[in-house]
Amino acid sequence: MRLSVGGRLALVSLGVVVLVAGVLAALLSLQLSDSGQRQAETVTRSVAETLAHEPDVAMLVEAGDSDALQPMVEYILADAGLSFVTIMTPDGIRLTHRNRSEIGEQYLGSREEALAGETFTETYRGTLGLSVRTIAPIRADGVEDGPIVGLVSVGVTLGAVQQDLAARVPLIVAASTAIVGFGVLGAVYVRRSARRVTGSYTPAELARLVQSYETVLHSLREGLVVTDGAGRIVLYNDEAADLLGLPPASTGQLPLDPSEVGMDASLAEAISAGRRMVEETVVNGDRVLLVNQEEARDLEGRRAPQRGHVMTLRDRSELQALLGELEGVRTLSETLRSQTHEHGNRLHAIWALIELGRLDDARRLIEASTGERQGLADRLVSDDEDAVVVALLLGKLDEAAERGVRLDLDVAEPTPALPLAAAEAVTVVGNLVDNALDAAAAGPTPRWVRVALRAGGGDVVLEVSDSGGGFDPSLEDPFVFGASTKAGHTPGGRGVGLALVRDIVTAHGGTLRIDAGPTTVRVFLPEVAAVAAGEEVRP
């Protein structure tokens, strides 16, 4: 039979209640039986001792007057609810009996202790069946030290005791039935409560589910964080512990307050508040994380915010580094291609002028080609520590000229050191300049791009503006992955460069600002000492 966890718990709880009710009924029956027997012993002893101390009874026993004793005994039997009162001679010859035909016959039962002067109680099977009886000695004139002239036996049959108890049986049955009834209600409640937690799974299915859950939880390469309705972290896996700096994930985790575990303040606030997050980039220490957070769902798949929220975390640090390097290589390759094309044209022109003997024209062409960038070229061969940015901008001059766009460079001297590794600097500067050139080339004349790099106020400021038409107003955030400023772009083929810029700047504690009229992107990075080429700086 297929029984769910809730059904089995209900059956077990109901079985326990039925067992308890049965045991309780048995204990009550035994207690009542024992109580009835003790009560019978008390009553018989009381009556026996009372008769034994009556002088009139002693006198009639000495006289052997059964005719006077029998009516007295019958009156006592009717009034006290006893089964028998037998008065006998010391030899055990009955002077009274419930059945008059037994008078004069030998008494059945023990007499030794009574003949020794002791009153005692025993259970014995006589002519009326099994009975509880008390035997007391009757002394002459009812005095304590007088000679024993007879014995009195007062008893109650166990059948009579059981008849008295039978009147209480309905009470015991009613109490047991009530207990079982409450047990049924409790079993129904247990079943419903268990089903809300375990559904209709059987124990075996639930065990497999838990094993699978443990396997998946600790094998996921994505961070998983589950919070309760109060915004506390109640469950997380190994990857989440590594990404957020949480204690090692283990069974029986205690709830954690996100604000007390040392993670990024904005991320902790989002977890506590249960704010919905879709592909949001958050920097936590030296990690760039892609975060999603949704409301929890119940077993039927319905949203259940009262149960908390579920957050997934992906580490984009390595991906960002790889994409940054790829974007840097692409930028440099485009720059080299443009330089090769432009320099080839100029060399062909100079060679033709020399062959025609027009040396003055060749000299002027050479001076015009080198004069506008001589200052930057001098920095490139000097001790300037940020030469990679200068080299990139020199290459962009040729690319801009090839595309019919005037590129104006305003680089402070000495060149401000960007707090970025060489590959990161190429990614940031190259992507911003490339986007500006694309926008300017697609716009009306005059087409221009201005790049300024300066330091001040504790920040290194990179400012790129262009004559283009600006960002697409339909883009909520042009710096998210997949968002492109180019019309008709192929999904997945663009929307990477600006997102990389945002990630790199954010990871180094910088900020981005976009202004219009003309379109200008400003990057603010903390001013720090320059680092050797290829070494990454972290805030």
Side-chain angles (χ1 to χ4, degrees):
M1 183 171 57
R2 185 184 184 278
L3 280 178
S4 66
V5 174
R8 296 197 181 199
L9 289 176
L11 284 180
V12 169
S13 60
L14 182 58
V16 170
V17 170
V18 171
L19 178 62
V20 168
V23 171
L24 184 60
L27 290 176
L28 285 175
S29 299
L30 289 175
Q31 185 178 15
L32 288 175
S33 177
D34 184 63
S35 175
Q37 188 165 342
R38 287 199 305 271
Q39 185 178 2
E41 292 175 357
T42 302
V43 172
T44 57
R45 177 177 286 271
S46 175
V47 173
E49 290 179 346
T50 300
L51 290 173
H53 289 86
E54 281 289 332
D56 294 340
V57 173
M59 183 182 65
L60 293 173
V61 170
E62 284 185 279
D65 190 352
S66 295
D67 293 335
L69 290 172
Q70 184 66 24
M72 183 189 303
V73 168
E74 291 176 352
Y75 175 78
I76 293 173
L77 289 174
D79 186 60
L82 299 170
S83 298
F84 64 87
V85 176
T86 301
I87 299 174
M88 69 197 82
T89 65
D91 295 332
I93 303 302
R94 301 187 185 104
L95 298 176
T96 64
H97 196 274
R98 186 181 187 92
N99 297 326
R100 288 178 177 267
S101 61
E102 297 289 337
I103 296 175
E105 300 294 332
Q106 183 67 39
Y107 170 77
L108 302 178
S110 303
R111 293 180 292 118
E112 290 77 10
E113 293 184 38
L115 291 174
E118 298 292 335
T119 300
F120 72 97
T121 302
E122 68 174 355
T123 301
Y124 192 86
R125 184 177 296 277
T127 57
L128 299 178
L130 196 63
S131 63
V132 176
R133 58 182 67 182
T134 299
I135 300 95
I138 302 174
R139 297 179 183 271
D141 297 325
V143 296
E144 290 292 339
D145 55 352
I148 297 174
V149 296
L151 304 173
V152 58
S153 175
V154 180
V156 178
T157 62
L158 292 183
V161 174
Q162 292 172 355
Q163 286 180 357
D164 291 339
L165 296 178
R168 305 180 186 181
V169 170
L171 178 62
I172 297 175
V173 173
S176 301
T177 303
I179 292 174
V180 173
F182 282 116
V184 171
L185 294 178
V188 172
Y189 175 76
V190 167
R191 180 175 180 274
R192 290 183 177 178
S193 299
R195 282 183 67 88
R196 282 197 295 268
V197 178
T198 62
S200 58
Y201 293 110
T202 64
E205 292 170 344
L206 192 60
R208 288 196 298 270
L209 184 66
V210 171
Q211 291 174 355
S212 301
Y213 147 80
E214 289 287 345
T215 301
V216 172
L217 184 66
H218 294 289
S219 302
L220 279 176
R221 296 307 302 163
E222 288 188 1
L224 178 66
V225 176
V226 180
T227 59
D228 59 14
R232 299 174 302 174
I233 299 175
V234 295
L235 178 67
Y236 54 88
N237 64 352
D238 303 325
E239 186 70 10
D242 179 52
L243 296 177
L244 300 180
L246 301 175
S250 61
T251 304
Q253 297 170 358
L254 295 177
L256 298 175
D257 187 341
S259 62
E260 297 178 356
V261 294
M263 70 176 69
D264 177 72
S266 63
L267 183 59
E269 188 277 331
I271 294 175
S272 298
R275 178 172 61 84
R276 185 172 185 266
M277 305 175 73
V278 179
E279 299 294 315
E280 291 192 20
T281 299
V282 177
V283 178
N284 186 60
D286 60 349
R287 301 289 186 93
V288 179
L289 306 178
L290 189 65
V291 182
N292 289 275
Q293 180 166 259
E294 294 285 352
E295 296 174 342
R297 296 177 181 269
D298 58 19
L299 294 176
E300 284 73 33
R302 296 171 299 193
R303 294 183 180 275
Q306 72 278 2
R307 293 192 175 188
H309 295 77
V310 178
M311 172 179 284
T312 57
L313 307 159
R314 281 181 284 171
D315 188 357
R316 272 203 1 216
S317 304
E318 296 182 1
L319 175 62
Q320 173 197 312
L322 292 174
L323 289 175
E325 292 180 9
L326 179 61
E327 193 68 15
V329 171
R330 185 196 64 78
T331 299
L332 289 176
S333 65
E334 287 292 328
T335 300
L336 291 174
R337 184 197 61 77
S338 299
Q339 285 184 318
T340 301
H341 183 266
E342 186 68 15
H343 286 194
N345 290 337
R346 292 183 181 183
L347 286 175
H348 282 102
I350 292 171
W351 178 253
L353 290 173
I354 291 174
E355 283 196 337
L356 294 173
R358 300 174 60 177
L359 299 181
D360 292 337
D361 292 335
R363 186 182 301 107
R364 284 193 294 271
L365 179 58
I366 293 171
E367 291 175 352
S369 300
T370 59
E372 61 185 10
R373 63 192 74 195
Q374 190 60 47
L376 291 177
D378 291 341
R379 294 192 204 180
L380 185 60
V381 297
S382 69
D383 294 333
D384 198 315
E385 296 186 20
D386 214 24
V388 64
V389 175
V390 176
L392 178 64
L393 293 177
L394 277 172
K396 292 300 180 184
L397 284 171
D398 293 323
E399 183 178 347
E402 184 183 60
R403 302 181 64 176
V405 178
R406 189 182 78 254
L407 177 59
D408 297 326
L409 303 178
D410 181 11
V411 181
E413 189 174 355
T415 305
L418 291 172
L420 306 173
E424 292 176 327
V426 170
T427 299
V428 171
V429 177
N431 275 289
L432 292 179
V433 174
D434 284 345
N435 276 278
L437 289 175
D438 290 341
T445 57
R447 301 180 180 90
W448 54 266
V449 172
R450 297 192 185 96
V451 179
L453 183 61
R454 62 182 182 276
D459 288 330
V460 176
V461 182
L462 173 65
E463 183 178 297
V464 180
S465 55
D466 61 73
S467 61
F471 290 106
D472 186 348
S474 64
L475 292 176
E476 295 183 5
D477 183 2
F479 289 95
V480 299
F481 269 89
S484 177
T485 57
K486 283 81 173 176
H489 73 279
T490 303
R494 292 188 179 270
V496 176
L498 292 182
L500 288 172
V501 171
R502 187 269 317 275
D503 287 349
I504 293 173
V505 171
T506 304
H508 288 273
T511 57
L512 286 162
R513 194 174 73 196
I514 300 176
D515 296 321
T519 303
T520 304
V521 178
R522 292 183 176 86
V523 176
F524 299 87
L525 289 165
E527 188 175 9
V528 295
V531 294
E535 181 179 349
E536 188 174 359
V537 178
R538 294 295 183 192

